[in-house]
Amino acid sequence: AQSVTQLDSHVSVSEGTPVLLRCNYSSSYSPSLFWYVQHPNKGLQLLLKYTSAATLVKGINGFEAEFKKSETSFHLTKPSAHMSDAAEYFCVVSGLSGNTPLVFGKGTRLSVIA
Amino acid sequence: DVKVTQSSRYLVKRTGEKVFLECVQDMDHENMFWYRQDPGLGLRLIYFSYDVKMKEKGDIPEGYSVSREKKERFSLILESASTNQTSMYLCASSSGDDRVILPDYEQYFGPGTRLTVT
């Protein structure tokens, strides 16, 4: 079965410093991987996705993630945090077609301090 | 601009009431989903549908049912609301292909309905 673990429930950074949100996955086959972002009182929005093409994936708002098969990781990074990046971030792995199309991590809340 | 709308942002119901949560998408998507979101638990799939009148159970279907009579509308029904169903409910939709859920396709989410059952 597919699963995803977000290693930090809360990350706090200062504005202008790098962001690292960690995600490890478990899958019995080559998965697709996603990061979604949820701003306060908003629905989830796709940030980026990996679907077996380039291992370094660029997303919106300057975020990127690198698929590392040997480490079963898909960490999300950004060189310089902005106040507007404060949100909840979800790492997601594709399930087998069937009753769980996507498997969500428990989320990481990112706080950005001025 | 793609849009998924949910009938209410906030809802307060009493234990035992029948509750309807409505979701409408304007993207002509084949697939629609209902999730609940709870702090520290992420999103958990309740039900999904890949076609009109079709439905599939997700991870936590107990206590819920769904209805999809039209392609653009997917309703979640709590037959007899209980306090442990107090949660944020999120609807999503995605493109599909001949009744197959394609995980690679982006899911588009509505803003959510925060349901409180007292």
Side-chain angles (χ1 to χ4, degrees):
Chain A
Q2 281 60 248
S3 67
V4 62
T5 302
Q6 293 184 243
L7 298 167
D8 306 291
S9 59
H10 182 215
V11 170
S12 183
V13 301
S14 297
E15 192 175 21
T17 64
V19 175
L20 170 63
L21 304 184
R22 299 181 296 165
C23 173
N24 287 116
Y25 70 91
S26 171
S27 178
S28 55
Y29 65 104
S30 248
S32 295
L33 291 156
F34 311 78
W35 277 97
Y36 279 81
V37 60
Q38 184 181 33
H39 291 278
N41 299 314
K42 297 282 181 66
L44 276 73
Q45 178 186 17
L46 181 67
L47 207 51
L48 50 81
K49 70 177 180 181
Y50 165 78
T51 55
S52 75
T55 56
L56 183 62
V57 183
K58 293 189 184 299
I60 60 173
N61 300 332
F63 283 93
E64 61 183 38
E66 186 171 8
F67 174 71
K68 291 187 177 180
K69 187 174 182 179
S70 61
E71 298 176 11
T72 61
S73 69
F74 191 58
H75 301 335
L76 182 71
T77 60
K78 183 174 180 178
S80 176
H82 295 157
M83 297 297 291
S84 60
D85 294 328
E88 186 100 19
Y89 292 80
F90 294 94
C91 184
V92 185
V93 64
S94 59
L96 293 170
S97 60
N99 69 343
T100 312
L102 294 179
V103 178
F104 284 77
K106 295 188 187 331
T108 298
R109 183 165 60 89
L110 175 65
S111 298
V112 182
I113 303 165
Chain B
D1 200 15
V2 297
K3 206 162 186 182
V4 178
T5 56
Q6 296 183 228
S7 51
S8 306
R9 292 300 302 271
Y10 301 93
L11 209 53
V12 180
K13 295 292 182 181
R14 294 192 180 277
T15 302
E17 278 193 81
K18 190 169 186 176
V19 181
F20 293 86
L21 302 182
E22 305 286 341
C23 175
V24 177
Q25 51 95 3
D26 65 359
M27 295 163 282
D28 201 34
H29 282 166
E30 289 79 5
N31 306 321
M32 296 188 76
F33 308 83
W34 275 107
Y35 296 88
R36 64 176 284 175
Q37 180 180 13
D38 300 288
L41 296 179
L43 273 70
R44 293 178 291 167
L45 182 64
I46 305 171
Y47 268 97
F48 64 98
S49 168
Y50 51 80
D51 200 354
V52 175
K53 296 193 186 295
M54 305 304 293
K55 61 183 179 184
E56 294 285 344
K57 293 180 180 179
D59 298 320
I60 51 165
E62 296 79 19
Y64 303 94
S65 62
V66 291
S67 172
R68 193 166 181 202
E69 296 297 320
K70 293 185 178 181
K71 189 176 185 180
E72 68 271 17
R73 187 180 297 270
F74 192 36
S75 302
L76 180 68
I77 303 155
L78 287 66
E79 295 290 343
S80 177
S82 63
T83 55
N84 62 14
Q85 292 178 311
T86 291
S87 186
M88 171 71 85
Y89 290 88
L90 295 171
C91 175
S93 70
S94 71
S95 297
D97 183 13
D98 195 24
R99 297 190 169 190
V100 174
I101 302 285
L102 297 175
D104 293 357
Y105 283 32
E106 176 180 356
Q107 291 193 10
Y108 294 85
F109 285 81
T113 296
R114 186 167 296 281
L115 172 67
T116 302
V117 182
T118 61

